[in-house]
């Protein structure tokens, strides 16, 4: 079964084992477990919900260390980012992930003006046809995401999806929209190379301001929309405005004591 962008595929064995190729992510397997009959076929579908639709929860960062929200089905943790903490992980990362449980999601606060962390993996050559400036953006984004992935590996924590936080806060993006866009694509490429599912967090206003009015996400990319005008999770998914051609997966609603989220 092929991935949505056609750049990878999954194979299934008769015992339920799953094998990945290209940019196909690994999300689990029945290999090694008892199943009532051999598997004879498989199909893939775009991800539209990472947890049950309508499930609610929270997203937190280094600001919430030591003061966690109630446990909930939907739980997103900052693994790294923000211009002044890019070189270090969230200090209570392991504790936050333990609190959130096995369905914890990660996000990286992205930016094209952020310094590349010391020791970040060397990015591969840029995709063909990029200008020098856009190539720099692509490789910077790749290194940021690869460094964050290494933080997770070194901390022995895992995520069901990696979100790229794309917002105008903290002046973390440069004036070149094309370079910013390529930084986002580079980060997506880095995480997909490690077999991860990747989505983007933004708004319909901030996305074109940062990446350009015609900036399109790779086909099948989940999006997490911030809509601070609503506090009602039952209507958030129907009124949220998508961006970048992505698939709406969840919505961040107006904060109370913590940032609130709902699965779509």
């Amino acid at each position: 079964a092929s991935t949505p962008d056609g750049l990878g595929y999954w194979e299934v064995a008769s015992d339920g084992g799953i094998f990945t190729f290209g940019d196909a992510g690994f999300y689990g397997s029945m290999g090694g477990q008892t199943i009532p009959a051999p598997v004879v076929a498989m199909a893939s579908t775009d991800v539209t919900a990472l947890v049950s639709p309508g499930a609610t929860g929270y997203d937190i960062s280094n600001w919430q260390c030591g003061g966690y929200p109630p446990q909930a089905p939907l739980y997103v943790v900052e693994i790294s980012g923000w211009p002044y903490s890019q070189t270090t992980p969230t200090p209570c990362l392991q504790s936050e992930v333990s609190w959130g449980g096995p369905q914890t999601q990660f996000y990286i606060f992205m930016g094209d003006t952020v310094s590349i962390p010391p020791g970040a993996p060397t990015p591969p050559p840029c995709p063909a046809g990029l200008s020098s400036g856009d190539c720099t953006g692509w490789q910077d984004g790749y290194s940021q995401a690869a460094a964050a992935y290494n933080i997770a590996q070194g901390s022995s924590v895992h995520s069901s999806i990696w979100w790229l936080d794309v917002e105008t806060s903290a002046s973390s993006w440069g004036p070149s929209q094309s370079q910013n866009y390529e930084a986002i694509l580079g980060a997506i490429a880095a995480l997909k190379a490690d077999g991860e599912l990747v989505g983007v967090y933004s708004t319909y206003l901030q996305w074109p301001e940062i990446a350009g009015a015609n900036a399109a996400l790779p086909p099948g990319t989940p999006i997490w929309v911030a809509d601070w005008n609503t506090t009602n999770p039952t209507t958030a998914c129907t009124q949220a405005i998508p961006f970048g051609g992505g698939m709406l997966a969840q919505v961040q609603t107006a904060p109370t004591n913590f940032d609130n989220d709902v699965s779509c």
Side-chain angles (χ1 to χ4, degrees):
S2 66
T3 57
D5 60 10
L7 300 179
Y9 61 96
W10 295 272
E11 286 186 351
V12 63
S14 61
D15 66 352
I18 298 292
F19 304 89
T20 62
F21 300 87
D23 70 354
F26 183 77
Y27 309 119
S29 169
M30 292 298 291
Q33 302 186 46
T34 301
I35 57 176
V39 175
V40 296
M42 74 180 304
S44 65
T45 183
D46 289 342
V47 174
T48 56
L50 303 170
V51 295
S52 298
T56 58
Y58 311 92
D59 60 272
I60 63 175
S61 67
N62 57 295
W63 301 112
Q64 282 76 43
C65 285
Y68 304 146
Q71 289 183 311
L74 177 54
Y75 196 73
V76 194
V77 171
E78 179 194 34
I79 192 163
S80 69
W82 203 260
Y84 46 78
S85 64
Q86 180 67 33
T87 58
T88 58
T90 297
C92 56
L93 177 61
Q94 289 175 313
S95 175
E96 288 186 343
V97 172
S98 177
W99 187 265
Q103 293 302 310
T104 299
Q105 305 171 18
F106 293 161
Y107 77 89
I108 306 170
F109 191 94
M110 289 288 298
D112 191 41
T113 61
V114 176
S115 299
I116 302 303
T122 301
C126 290
L130 293 186
S131 67
S132 175
D134 288 353
C135 178
T136 297
W138 190 91
Q139 291 185 320
D140 285 353
Y142 191 104
S143 292
Q144 285 181 51
Y149 181 80
N150 283 353
I151 288 172
Q153 294 295 294
S155 301
S156 298
V157 294
H158 305 279
S159 176
S160 58
I161 183 172
W162 287 72
W163 295 104
L164 305 179
D165 186 334
V166 178
E167 57 180 280
T168 54
S169 302
S171 301
S172 56
W173 295 96
S176 171
Q177 292 178 327
S178 64
Q179 188 165 323
N180 294 339
Y181 176 56
E182 291 300 333
I184 296 163
L185 296 183
I188 292 173
L191 293 167
K192 282 192 172 183
D194 290 313
E196 299 294 340
L197 178 63
V198 190
V200 175
Y201 164 95
S202 193
T203 72
Y204 76 99
L205 294 174
Q206 294 184 83
W207 174 257
E209 180 179 344
I210 292 168
N214 298 316
L217 290 165
T221 301
I223 58 172
W224 173 18
V225 174
D227 184 357
W228 303 295
N229 293 318
T230 182
T231 59
N232 186 351
T234 62
T235 59
C237 293
T238 57
Q239 71 179 49
I241 303 176
F243 59 86
M247 298 185 308
L248 182 62
Q250 57 198 44
V251 176
Q252 183 188 63
T253 59
T256 51
N257 292 331
F258 300 94
D259 286 341
N260 299 290
D261 301 280
V262 59
S263 172
C264 299

